[in-house]
Amino acid sequence: MAVLKKICAWCGAELGTVESTAVSEHPITHGMCLMCARKILEREGDFMDDFLNELGVPLLLVKEDTSLHVMNKQAVDLIVKRLRKPQGQTLRPGELLSCIHSKAPGGCGKTVHCKSCAIRNAVFETYATGNPLVKLRSYPDVQVDDEVKTMCFEITTEKLGEFVLLRIDDLREKVKDGAPSASGGGE
C-alpha cells in the first residue's frame, strides 16, 4: 500500500494524503478541493457537460442517495451503447447499468443484494466521510440484450460539494457462469 500526496488538480492546494494500491512512480495523486468544486458546481448547463466530457472517462455526478444528477458522453457510451438499449429514464447506477437486482421489487438500492453493492456503498461512504475511494472492484450481474453477464468495473469516487463524482471503468466482462468472454481485458 502506497501513501500518495493529494493535491487539487485545479488550484494546486494540498489535500492531505491517500492510501492506494496503485503502483506509481509519482507520489502525487489529484482530486478537487471544496472551493474548486463549489465553483464548478455553481455553473449550470453546458459548462458542466463540457467539463465532464473533457475528462475522457465515464463519469456520473450523483446525489447522496445515488440518484443521477448528470453523466458525461463517455458514461453514455458505456451504458447505452455497450450494455443495453435505452429504455426510458433511469435514475440510479444499478438502473443505468441494467443490474438484474434493480428490476426486483423496490428497485435499485432497495433489495437485499443492494446492501453489498460496491458502487452504492462507495457513493455512500464517500458522501459520508468526504474521503475518495480509488479503483474498487465491482462485479454486478447485468442484463445485456438477452443474457445476464457478470461485469467487472473499477469504481473511483470523489466528493464534490453536495455530490459524488463516480467514475466507472469497464475492465472486462464475464459470462454469468464465470467463463471469460472473447473481449478479455475490456476496452
Side-chain angles (χ1 to χ4, degrees):
M1 187 72 69
V3 176
L4 303 175
K5 180 179 177 183
K6 187 172 178 185
I7 62 171
C8 178
W10 281 260
C11 71
E14 291 189 22
L15 302 173
T17 60
V18 63
E19 289 187 3
S20 174
T21 57
V23 178
S24 174
E25 296 176 15
H26 308 286
I28 297 176
T29 187
H30 295 84
M32 183 181 292
C33 71
L34 186 57
M35 186 174 299
C36 289
R38 284 186 179 144
K39 287 178 185 175
I40 289 169
L41 293 173
E42 286 172 359
R43 299 181 183 184
E44 291 294 325
D46 293 337
F47 175 80
M48 180 60 77
D49 292 342
D50 291 344
F51 169 73
L52 291 176
N53 288 335
E54 286 177 17
L55 296 176
V57 295
L59 295 169
L60 294 90
L61 194 60
V62 296
K63 300 174 187 171
E64 175 183 16
D65 65 355
T66 74
S67 62
L68 179 67
H69 181 64
V70 67
M71 68 177 161
N72 69 354
K73 180 187 179 313
Q74 292 81 6
V76 170
D77 289 347
L78 168 68
I79 293 164
V80 175
K81 292 182 181 174
R82 294 196 56 226
L83 297 178
R84 67 182 195 100
K85 297 174 186 167
Q87 297 174 351
Q89 185 177 8
T90 55
L91 300 174
R92 298 186 191 284
E95 295 164 331
L96 290 166
L97 297 171
S98 295
C99 171
I100 61 171
H101 304 298
S102 70
K103 296 172 183 73
C108 182
K110 306 290 185 189
T111 74
V112 67
H113 303 283
C114 299
K115 292 178 182 171
S116 62
C117 174
I119 298 170
R120 178 178 178 270
N121 292 335
V123 169
F124 285 157
E125 182 177 336
T126 298
Y127 192 88
T129 66
N131 295 326
L133 297 173
V134 180
K135 296 187 176 187
L136 297 175
R137 294 285 171 98
S138 175
Y139 301 93
D141 293 329
V142 301
Q143 186 76 40
V144 181
D145 297 321
D146 292 334
E147 69 183 298
V148 174
K149 294 185 177 183
T150 299
M151 303 300 290
C152 181
F153 295 127
E154 203 167 64
I155 307 301
T156 300
T157 58
E158 178 84 27
K159 188 168 183 187
L160 297 177
E162 295 301 310
F163 298 96
V164 171
L165 189 61
L166 172 63
R167 176 177 173 166
I168 301 176
D169 291 301
D170 183 5
L171 298 182
R172 61 187 166 92
E173 63 182 52
K174 299 188 303 183
V175 178
K176 178 74 173 146
D177 67 9
S181 71
S183 65
E187 294 181 19

